[in-house]
Amino acid sequence: IQLGIKVEVLPNLYMVANVQLKRMITEKTPDNFDNLYVPGFGKTYDTSEIGVGYTYGIMYRIPFFKK
């Protein structure tokens, strides 16, 4: 599940933020070793299959055409 917001701060300049709730479906572990980090999921813990993440950023839209 991902929830986010995008706000126009100035003309064509946006601030973006989102929160992600992730659930691990499968995980392959090598012999005699435990996974500490799974790409796309983050840190793994033995107690939970659920992960939480967030992102934020600044976007600029290049105006190719004028209205």
Side-chain angles (χ1 to χ4, degrees):
I1 297 174
Q2 184 169 341
L3 215 66
I5 186 168
K6 180 168 80 169
V7 178
E8 187 172 13
V9 181
L10 296 171
N12 298 326
L13 185 67
Y14 298 90
M15 291 186 72
V16 180
N18 70 40
V19 178
Q20 305 139 8
L21 182 62
K22 308 168 189 177
R23 180 171 184 266
M24 181 156 330
I25 298 172
T26 63
E27 175 185 10
K28 293 183 180 179
T29 56
D31 295 335
N32 300 326
F33 188 75
D34 223 10
N35 286 333
L36 301 175
Y37 185 84
V38 176
F41 184 79
K43 279 187 171 183
T44 60
Y45 300 100
D46 293 336
T47 58
S48 178
E49 296 179 343
I50 295 175
V52 177
Y54 66 93
T55 59
Y56 57 91
I58 298 173
M59 293 174 45
Y60 181 73
R61 185 181 60 154
I62 300 172
F64 288 114
F65 304 105
K66 290 189 177 187
K67 290 183 178 179

